[in-house]
Amino acid sequence: MTIAIYPGAFDPITNGHLDITTRAAKLFEKVVIGVYDAPAKDILFTTEERVDLVKQSIAHLPNVEVESFTGLAVDFARKAGAQTIVRGLRIGADFEREFEMALMNKKLAPDCELVCLITNPKYQYLSSSLLKEVASLNANVDELVPKTVAAALKKKVHNKP
Ligand code: ADP
């Protein structure tokens, strides 16, 4: 079975992430989204909340699952039985970072391949960090994230001290 992991912070999942996930789900028999269980710094949603938002956003994709993970992505890939790591590439900074990380991952796990999918131009400018910034300034983000995420963001931002 061809299995891929798609690791990231997903704080929160956006339509850009969902586009990559949907396309990866056509290339692999199973895709496991790995929500990085990162230390709290700069993270708006807890790991549990991020996993939950991903779960709700991928409910219509039968061959996609979600799990949280700590440590190396290549170890998470091994644990999931995956041969491939999927990442999304936006123009600019993503390339340098992905290239560097791919070389390191290749060193750590030579049998693990990286597949980068080029972003849909519609979501080129979309990052979770910019999304959180504009959402905190009351921007309407309905076209940038799944419905449940938009609602969760509104709630989170308004509950903030
Ligand atoms: P970010 O905070 O930049 O959204 P993540 O760690 O959540 O970062 O991203 C996980 C993966 O999804 C990375 O490979 C990232 O490049 C990719 N990604 C993030 N946003 C988009 C987007 N708008 N289009 C395509 N890929 C994306």
Side-chain angles (χ1 to χ4, degrees):
M1 191 183 212
T2 57
I3 304 174
I5 60 156
Y6 177 27
F10 302 100
D11 185 41
I13 185 168
T14 68
N15 287 344
H17 295 126
L18 204 53
D19 182 67
I20 298 292
T21 307
T22 307
R23 288 157 60 196
K26 290 180 189 154
L27 297 173
F28 301 94
E29 287 169 284
K30 182 163 128 187
V31 175
V32 184
I33 295 183
V35 173
Y36 187 54
D37 189 6
K41 192 176 151 251
D42 289 337
I43 293 283
L44 182 62
F45 291 94
T46 66
T47 303
E48 208 178 36
E49 287 169 333
R50 285 179 283 137
V51 168
D52 209 49
L53 290 172
V54 170
K55 212 175 262 171
Q56 295 177 46
S57 309
I58 58 163
H60 60 293
L61 298 168
N63 62 333
V64 181
E65 296 172 7
V66 56
E67 271 177 48
S68 64
F69 77 101
T70 52
L72 294 170
V74 290
D75 288 339
F76 177 60
R78 268 197 207 109
K79 216 183 106 229
Q83 310 83 4
T84 308
I85 297 177
V86 167
R87 299 278 292 171
L89 267 195
R90 289 158 295 188
I91 298 167
D94 277 352
F95 178 78
E96 297 289 328
R97 175 88 185 115
E98 292 302 331
F99 195 75
E100 204 175 71
M101 225 152 54
L103 293 177
M104 176 58 86
N105 283 342
K106 203 71 194 159
K107 181 86 189 145
L108 298 172
D111 50 344
C112 191
E113 288 300 339
L114 174 74
V115 168
C116 286
L117 298 178
I118 304 296
T119 187
N120 183 324
K122 269 200 316 206
Y123 305 125
Q124 166 60 31
Y125 60 91
L126 182 55
S127 69
S128 294
S129 41
L130 191 54
L131 173 81
K132 287 182 282 186
E133 194 177 326
V134 297
S136 74
L137 299 171
N138 291 323
N140 182 336
V141 297
D142 290 354
E143 284 178 23
L144 307 178
V145 291
K147 267 200 177 74
T148 44
V149 176
L153 255 175
K154 247 176 232 160
K155 203 165 152 204
K156 199 65 142 180
V157 164
H158 286 303
N159 284 351
K160 271 185 97 178

